[in-house]
């Protein structure tokens, strides 16, 4: 069985993330969408909330599961028998950081491959940080977020926003 991992912070999950997940699920027997916990970041949503959002938007994909992990991605991949890490690339600026991570993961787990998947053009501009910023100022983010979770995300990101 070929298992792939789509790791990320998913804070929050966007339509761009979902596009990469759906495309990955067509290539592998099983895909684990892995919410990674980065102690250097202060997320807007807890890891469990992010995992819940992901479960809600990937429920239609039978070979996808969602998990949460704090630790080294290469070790997680080894522990679950994954052969490939899938990373979405939006632009050339993403490549340098992702390439460095891929080489580090390969050094830790020599059996692990990294596959870069180019984001569909309609999502190339889209990032979680952009969604957080637009929503925090009351902007409409419905075109950026998967159906079924937009209301929950907007409510959280606009909490405490002064009413004008």
């Amino acid at each position: 069985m070929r298992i792939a991992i789509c790791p990320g912070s998913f804070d929050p999950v966007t339509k761009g993330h979902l596009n990469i997940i759906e495309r990955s699920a067509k290539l592998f027997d099983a895909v684990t969408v892995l919410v990674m916990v980065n102690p250097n970041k202060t997320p807007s949503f807890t890891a469990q909330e992010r995992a819940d959002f992901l479960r809600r938007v990937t429920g239609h994909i039978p070979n996808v599961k969602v998990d949460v992990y704090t630790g080294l991605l290469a070790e997680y991949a080894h522990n679950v028998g994954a052969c490939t890490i899938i990373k979405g690339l939006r632009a050339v600026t993403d490549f340098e950081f992702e390439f460095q991570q891929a080489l580090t993961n390969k050094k830790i787990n020599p059996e692990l491959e990294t596959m870069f998947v180019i984001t569909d053009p309609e999502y190339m501009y889209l990032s979680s940080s952009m969604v957080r910023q637009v929503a925090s100022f009351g902007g409409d983010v419905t075109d950026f977020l998967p159906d079924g979770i937009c209301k929950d995300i907007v409510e959280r990101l606009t909490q405490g926003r002064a009413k004008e």
Side-chain angles (χ1 to χ4, degrees):
M1 180 177 241
R2 294 173 313 144
I3 301 169
I5 300 172
C6 285
S9 57
F10 305 105
D11 189 39
V13 59
T14 68
K15 285 183 177 179
H17 291 128
L18 186 58
N19 174 259
I20 296 293
I21 295 165
E22 289 172 336
R23 291 166 55 206
S24 300
K26 293 176 184 176
L27 301 173
F28 292 88
D29 300 314
V31 174
T32 299
V33 181
L34 189 63
V35 176
M36 298 292 297
V37 177
N38 182 342
N40 297 325
K41 289 186 177 182
T42 305
S44 297
F45 301 91
T46 68
Q48 290 306 321
E49 287 172 322
R50 291 178 275 154
D52 178 59
F53 291 144
L54 282 159
R55 286 183 188 101
R56 288 163 54 187
V57 302
T58 61
H60 66 286
I61 314 169
N63 62 330
V64 168
K65 76 173 193 169
V66 177
D67 200 0
V68 176
Y69 189 67
T70 303
L72 294 174
L73 176 58
E75 289 179 355
Y76 178 90
H78 175 77
N79 292 341
V80 300
C83 61
T84 307
I85 301 297
I86 298 178
K87 298 296 290 196
L89 294 179
R90 292 171 299 200
V92 173
T93 53
D94 290 341
F95 180 75
E96 186 174 353
F97 176 74
E98 297 298 348
F99 184 69
Q100 182 181 22
Q101 280 192 325
L103 292 174
T104 302
N105 287 331
K106 186 78 168 167
K107 183 69 174 174
I108 296 168
N109 180 349
E111 300 300 314
L112 187 60
E113 298 295 339
T114 297
M115 177 187 294
F116 296 114
V117 177
I118 305 301
T119 303
D120 279 351
E122 66 189 289
Y123 305 117
M124 292 206 111
Y125 66 92
L126 189 54
S127 69
S128 294
S129 58
M130 187 271 307
V131 169
R132 290 191 309 270
Q133 182 177 16
V134 171
S136 70
F137 285 104
D140 183 5
V141 292
T142 54
D143 286 341
F144 309 146
L145 299 170
D147 294 336
I149 62 170
C150 189
K151 181 179 179 236
D152 295 333
I153 290 172
V154 169
E155 283 178 6
R156 169 66 65 80
L157 294 176
T158 58
Q159 280 178 349
R161 188 173 150 259
K163 301 288 181 194
E164 308 260 336

